Amino acid sequence: MSASMNRPPLWRRLLANIVPSMREPRRLTVDDITVVDRPMLRRAVAGTVVGNLMEWYDIGIYGYLAVIIGRVFLPDASGAAQSLFSLGVFAVTFIARPVGGIVLGQLGDRLGRQRVLAFTLIMMAAATFLIGVLPDFSVIGVWAPILLIVLKLAQGFSTGGEYAGATTFITEYAPDRRRGFYASLLDLGSYMGFAVGAAFVSILQLTVSAEAMEGFAWRIPFLVALPLGLIAIYFRLKIEDTPAFQDAQASAQAAADDAQAAADAPKGVVALVRAYWRELLTAFVLVAAANTVGYALTSYMPTYLTGTLGYDEVHGTLLTLPVLVAMALCIPLTGALSDRIGRRRVLFIGSISAIVLAVPAFLFMMHGEIWSTLLGLVLLAFPVTFYVANLASSLPALFPTSSRYGGMGISYNLAVALFAGTAPFVMEALVQLTGSALAPAFYVIATSIAGVIAVAVLKESARRPLPGAMPSVQTEEEAIELVETQEENPDLDLDDLFPERTETP
């Protein structure tokens, strides 16, 4: 029934065979539309969310155990050298991320998202677990810190492909009208992972003696990564590759000699940068702005609260926990909001609120009371909630299916390495250089001003098909409605869906 609704009258079809100019432009049919397999979508979301939870769990536990790790792996060094070593090893992860993003992104566009995501999770879980069983300096000497660095490099490499692949995977699986909500669940997993890691370490610090922590207890959070990883791997091995990727692969094989197919084929790094440098730059700036304030809230706050504001180590950790949990639970709400009012509006709220709230947030924290510190953290968490909830749905929409994983791998991981990984160091350096506890606020403001500019040039993608893909819906009824209203639907551009409509005969 739906196909006949789109078929022109018999006389017009017969005439079109005689007079080519009478042929009607290509229109959308029900067969063109992907109806989402809901059980498969649920498994895809579960597998990717647990993977993201694991990624940030590792970042959380290492950040809070960095001081102890420095003592265990360099026991004969000075306190300053131990701190520099542990922070340097943390930075190594971010150095390896762009390499992993480039290599695994290229493989993801060629071999498939599911295969590469399964590999990244196996590699991440194994490296984290091995840190937990790694002999310390007293057992194997200088090999202990060397092997720790190697394992952190492996973690960074795998993480470089994890978030880029997870966002690509979910956005390609999700229906167009709810892509913002489903993609935001990834960052719910991310921040819950950080909160779980911080809570785990805090519980150990409160219940175990300092000697026991340095003896064996510090290893426990790393060992827990193995069962978490096995659960996520189970989910990922149960799901198929995304319909968008499968369609792109089928089209490329069916038209291997076609010029358009060659243009849409996966690109190497140099060709990808040449073809999509504007999109890569836009994504880079957005990720830099969002993650500067995001890592200020997560990775830098324990150092800021204890070193600059004078809180003890346990309170420096515990004060951030309720804020992180509340923010994580609000992230899907802002993701769903972007499905209603648009990605650009929500990202504008995030970037502008970061500019407006940064100084008040740090002033409240500098007041020194528990209530004011919590209020300052909430003000800092507000823009993060609106930023990160929409990056996962906005950034993949900048690239076509054939280059989406690769484009995300380059732009996201370079920005994270240069801005997120360095955010705690830069902010602490600004405090030391200026002598002002307010200095980090101005760094947040500067990066978010750039973020406002990036949002201004960002193309709206809410409720619209991804570039290079047909529309994706939740039900057959929605597919029929989309076909019937395609000419007047503001979220559909038939010339984008069917480039041959604009070709001159």
Side-chain angles (χ1 to χ4, degrees):
M1 181 181 70
S2 56
S4 61
M5 288 190 303
N6 295 282
R7 187 177 299 171
L10 178 60
W11 69 267
R12 191 171 182 87
R13 282 183 280 137
L14 292 173
L15 191 58
N17 290 328
I18 303 171
V19 185
S21 61
M22 291 289 293
R23 291 175 184 165
E24 288 202 350
R26 175 79 157 88
R27 299 181 78 251
L28 191 68
T29 68
V30 172
D31 290 338
D32 294 321
I33 299 173
T34 299
V35 179
V36 173
D37 183 337
R38 291 189 180 183
M40 190 63 72
L41 175 61
R42 286 195 291 267
R43 289 198 291 270
V45 169
T48 48
V49 167
V50 174
N52 261 27
L53 188 149
M54 249 197 70
E55 174 190 344
W56 276 66
Y57 170 83
D58 171 64
I59 292 173
I61 60 176
Y62 186 89
Y64 289 114
L65 292 170
V67 174
I68 294 175
I69 288 173
R71 295 176 191 150
V72 170
F73 287 90
L74 283 182
D76 298 329
S78 65
Q82 290 172 347
S83 297
L84 286 173
F85 169 76
S86 58
L87 291 175
V89 172
F90 181 75
V92 161
T93 304
F94 291 91
I95 293 172
R97 282 182 71 154
V99 179
I102 292 170
V103 174
L104 297 173
Q106 291 288 307
L107 290 176
D109 283 331
R110 287 166 170 78
L111 302 180
R113 287 76 162 107
Q114 190 265 356
R115 291 183 185 179
V116 175
L117 280 173
F119 169 78
T120 62
L121 198 51
I122 292 169
M123 189 174 185
M124 191 191 322
T128 305
F129 175 78
L130 289 174
I131 290 175
V133 298
L134 182 65
D136 59 30
F137 189 90
S138 64
V139 177
I140 59 175
V142 72
W143 282 105
I146 292 174
L147 290 175
L148 178 63
I149 292 172
V150 170
L151 290 173
K152 291 299 289 181
L153 284 170
Q155 282 183 333
F157 183 87
S158 62
T159 303
E162 172 62 32
Y163 187 82
T167 54
T168 299
F169 200 72
I170 289 299
T171 54
E172 290 182 351
Y173 251 116
D176 295 336
R177 292 184 181 179
R178 301 201 68 197
R179 184 171 293 116
F181 168 74
Y182 282 112
S184 69
L185 295 177
L186 296 174
D187 289 291
L188 165 65
S190 297
Y191 284 91
M192 286 302 291
F194 194 95
V196 168
F200 199 166
V201 173
S202 297
I203 291 170
L204 287 175
Q205 289 173 332
L206 290 170
T207 57
V208 175
S209 66
E211 293 77 14
M213 280 296 294
E214 291 191 21
F216 177 79
W218 71 269
R219 299 178 181 274
I220 297 174
F222 291 97
L223 299 178
V224 171
L226 186 60
L228 280 178
L230 291 175
I231 293 171
I233 291 166
Y234 170 80
F235 280 110
R236 287 195 179 173
L237 293 178
K238 290 287 185 179
I239 52 182
E240 300 175 359
D241 228 317
T242 66
F245 177 78
Q246 292 182 34
D247 290 345
Q249 290 290 91
S251 298
Q253 292 174 4
D257 298 327
D258 182 71
Q260 181 63 39
D264 292 340
K267 292 176 170 58
V269 176
V270 175
L272 193 152
V273 172
R274 285 177 179 170
Y276 304 113
W277 66 269
R278 292 180 183 84
E279 291 82 358
L280 290 168
L281 182 60
T282 301
F284 177 90
V285 174
L286 276 174
V287 173
N291 280 277
T292 296
V293 62
Y295 275 67
L297 179 66
T298 54
S299 298
Y300 179 58
M301 271 306 110
T303 300
Y304 183 75
L305 294 178
T306 56
T308 303
L309 301 186
Y311 284 96
D312 60 80
E313 290 186 3
V314 174
H315 276 85
T317 301
L318 290 178
L319 283 171
T320 61
L321 281 180
V323 177
L324 287 175
V325 172
M327 184 185 71
L329 295 176
C330 288
I331 282 175
L333 300 179
T334 52
L337 180 64
S338 76
D339 288 328
R340 295 180 63 86
I341 69 173
R343 314 274 189 253
R344 296 177 75 247
R345 289 183 181 177
V346 174
L347 287 171
F348 268 128
I349 294 173
S351 55
I352 293 172
S353 64
I355 296 170
V356 173
L357 297 178
V359 170
F362 278 87
L363 284 174
F364 273 115
M365 286 186 277
M366 290 165 59
H367 184 64
E369 301 290 338
I370 296 292
W371 69 267
S372 64
T373 300
L374 284 172
L375 180 55
L377 291 170
V378 168
L379 292 181
L380 204 59
F382 182 85
V384 178
T385 307
F386 284 83
Y387 258 138
V388 301
N390 291 281
L391 291 184
S393 54
S394 300
L395 302 185
L398 289 170
F399 307 99
T401 304
S402 59
S403 298
R404 186 167 294 129
Y405 202 151
M408 281 293 297
I410 293 173
S411 58
Y412 183 86
N413 288 292
L414 280 176
V416 166
L418 294 176
F419 285 89
T422 61
F425 175 81
V426 171
M427 291 180 182
E428 185 62 21
L430 288 173
V431 171
Q432 299 298 327
L433 287 172
T434 63
S436 171
L438 200 57
F442 296 105
Y443 186 58
V444 169
I445 290 172
T447 54
S448 280
I449 289 173
V452 170
I453 298 171
V455 177
V457 302
L458 184 71
K459 185 178 179 181
E460 182 57 67
S461 60
R463 302 178 301 277
R464 299 175 182 176
L466 290 169
M470 288 291 114
S472 176
V473 298
Q474 290 183 285
T475 64
E476 292 281 355
E477 292 75 16
E478 189 179 341
I480 294 171
E481 178 189 357
L482 199 62
V483 169
E484 292 175 343
T485 62
Q486 61 185 290
E487 298 293 350
E488 61 269 18
N489 192 324
D491 299 323
L492 281 181
D493 187 332
L494 296 180
D495 292 337
D496 279 347
L497 289 176
F498 308 111
E500 65 271 16
R501 286 168 57 97
T502 58
E503 293 177 359
T504 303

